[in-house]
Amino acid sequence: RSPCPSADGHFTYVAAVLLTSTPSHLPLTLHSHDMMSSSTSKMGASIRMSSRGVQVRAQSVDIREQARRRAPPSKSELFNAKFLPFEHVASGQDMALCQESYSLDEVIYRSASGGLLDVQHDMDALKIYGPEYWKALFDERVGKTSWPYGSGVWSKKEWILPGIDDEDIVSMFEGNTNLFWAERYGKECLGMTDLWVKQCGNTHTGSFKDLGMTVLVSQVNRIRKKGLKTLSAVGCASTGDTSAALSAYCASAGIPSIVFLPADKISLAQLVQPIANGSLVLSIDTDFDGCMKLIREVTAEFPIYLANSLNSLRIEGQKTAAVEILQQFDWQVPDWVIIPGGNLGNIYAFYKGFKQAKDLGLTDKLPRMVCAQAANANPLYRAYVNGYENFEPVKAESTFASAIQIGDPVSIDRAILALQDCDGIVEEATEEELLDAAARADRTGMFNCPHTGVALAALTKLREKGVISPSDRTVVVSTAHGLKFSQTKVDYHASEIEGITSQYANPPTQVKADFGAVADVLRKHIN
């Protein structure tokens, strides 16, 4: 009988039961939240033998009901979070000194001065538990089906939305995406031995936007169910991935969704996702910035909740990707993290995740972050070159990295704060550079979206300049799945993109249905 961390958030006891009827004498582990199930076996619980020992399962109780019956974590009532003005957060002042704050249950997107808001946690309450507790708790929850901790986001619930009831959470067990060693690409293409790619696109709707959307839609679900505000729908402006995530999570919760998309500027695969999930899709003759202006006006007049990254709830979910990276490196901090940047909320989100882990003692430093921008939509890069002295929005030009085709990013101040605090860098990539970088990496087994191509091209430049060393542990964040952009790959390999030489094109070889003709091609290829 010994203490161990359990998925419900506190330490319980493990009882080893020796079963004389089984030769293996496997232990039966009962956590505190399992005790309720075992005590209600008369209501339908079943006990059956298997090669793995004894399994106890309630036949008529789903995982939401199990979560409802589970006792809350010890002292969890002390954990809380609220909206504060970002300008106060940026000043470095204590949260308790801020005279302006808002409950997360309020429908509000701007501070009294018109600035951004930021979700801030009571760090003193979280520090009640030491770093080893949080490491053990988060590690123990990974890969489980216990609601809602099977999600890579909600496995860190205490750091995200500590006050939300488990039954109000809308999740599809997003996150927990693979971090893989890009061995061949690193060694053969860049001369690197410790290059990794965080595949955030390997999630439910195919992009990292799921991480933030599960948090935002869960909070909307809470507000609607408790009757705190009248919210008829959730809406967003999107370059593709945000609308896909919003429509899926709203569909799961039965909440109407509305998306504003720039006409003819996103891939067909991205367009069909919100259509399939039942969203009201408005195709508008403007760019993303124009759509963003319209959705702000609409949400100010209609009971529609704004889901863009102007809303800082999404950043709380997206920051868990940074914590996952730390977990996957056994809580060691990488030297570099390279992230494609458009509206720039993800830059701040990764920073928040790394910083919260550092502030709570789980790590002792921040990684250096690189924001990679497409040269056709590079307002942050231009500001960085000028020492952040004069930021000016730009009219974003067309780029294959369509999700970051944004000339007036909402989170510009957040991103600059993050990059300055971690001694970060901003780099850019031309259309040819990003397409070639994605195709070159594909040759080593990846299947990259154009945005990942931007990050890989930035990495190539920083290696050539000697900024990143061969042995530096470097993580490239892949923000979306390449299957969303298959037409771009088809056009690239067919050398049909105007102005692009397609250096790594690999078109199909046309050959007659004749053994000799096939053999000739094979001999040339093999030799």
Side-chain angles (χ1 to χ4, degrees), residues 389-430:
E389 290 295 327
N390 298 300
F391 171 77
E392 294 183 2
V394 301
K395 178 68 175 178
E397 299 177 27
S398 178
T399 172
F400 286 99
S402 57
I404 57 175
Q405 186 180 315
I406 298 170
D408 189 10
V410 167
S411 294
I412 180 64
D413 293 333
R414 292 165 168 165
I416 290 174
L417 169 70
L419 292 167
Q420 289 181 326
D421 196 36
C422 71
D423 192 20
I425 293 173
V426 186
E427 188 55 86
E428 66 173 354
T430 66

Side-chain angles (χ1 to χ4, degrees), residues 58-78:
Q59 293 176 332
S60 59
V61 178
D62 63 28
I63 58 175
R64 277 191 187 273
E65 179 61 26
Q66 291 171 8
R68 191 177 296 114
R69 296 179 181 185
R70 186 171 59 223
S74 175
K75 301 182 181 179
S76 62
E77 71 280 359
L78 300 177

Side-chain angles (χ1 to χ4, degrees), residues 86-95:
F86 174 74
E87 56 204 46
H88 179 87
V89 176
S91 71
Q93 297 181 56
D94 190 282
M95 185 172 77

Side-chain angles (χ1 to χ4, degrees), residues 220 224 231-235 246 250-251 253-258 278-280 304:
V220 171
R224 283 165 55 96
L231 293 175
S232 300
V234 187
L246 175 65
C250 282
I255 299 173
S257 60
I258 304 166
S279 289
L280 171 60
I304 298 172

Side-chain angles (χ1 to χ4, degrees), residues 59-231:
Q59 293 176 332
S60 59
V61 178
D62 63 28
I63 58 175
R64 277 191 187 273
E65 179 61 26
Q66 291 171 8
R68 191 177 296 114
R69 296 179 181 185
R70 186 171 59 223
S74 175
K75 301 182 181 179
S76 62
E77 71 280 359
L78 300 177
F79 304 146
N80 66 88
K82 56 187 176 182
F83 289 126
L84 293 185
F86 174 74
E87 56 204 46
H88 179 87
V89 176
S91 71
Q93 297 181 56
D94 190 282
M95 185 172 77
L97 299 177
C98 184
Q99 299 300 309
E100 181 184 354
S101 65
Y102 305 93
S103 165
L104 299 186
D105 292 333
E106 293 192 51
V107 179
I108 187 168
Y109 313 112
R110 294 279 193 180
S111 67
S113 66
L116 295 174
L117 295 172
D118 198 53
V119 176
Q120 286 293 298
H121 293 260
D122 186 340
M123 296 296 283
D124 289 335
L126 292 174
K127 287 177 181 176
I128 291 174
Y129 294 107
E132 295 308 314
Y133 170 83
W134 292 117
K135 290 179 184 178
L137 178 64
F138 294 163
D139 287 346
E140 199 275 339
R141 287 172 173 173
V142 170
K144 301 297 194 302
T145 57
S146 177
W147 183 266
Y149 303 133
S151 159
V153 173
W154 297 107
S155 64
K156 301 157 186 67
K157 178 187 173 185
E158 295 80 4
W159 290 20
I160 311 304
L161 290 185
I164 195 169
D165 294 336
D166 289 344
E167 61 189 81
D168 291 336
I169 290 173
V170 181
S171 172
M172 288 181 263
F173 282 14
E174 53 289 311
N176 291 324
T177 53
N178 55 312
L179 175 69
F180 83 90
W181 181 32
E183 180 183 15
R184 184 182 168 208
Y185 180 74
K187 290 180 178 178
E188 294 184 10
C189 301
L190 300 172
M192 300 180 71
T193 58
D194 210 1
L195 175 63
W196 300 77
V197 178
K198 177 64 171 169
Q199 293 281 23
C200 291
N202 289 356
T203 186
H204 184 70
T205 71
S207 90
F208 81 102
K209 299 294 179 69
D210 290 357
L211 304 179
M213 207 57 73
T214 179
V215 175
L216 184 141
V217 174
S218 293
Q219 180 62 18
V220 171
N221 194 42
R222 166 188 164 86
I223 292 171
R224 283 165 55 96
K225 287 176 66 176
K226 296 187 180 305
L228 302 174
K229 297 284 183 180
T230 300
L231 293 175

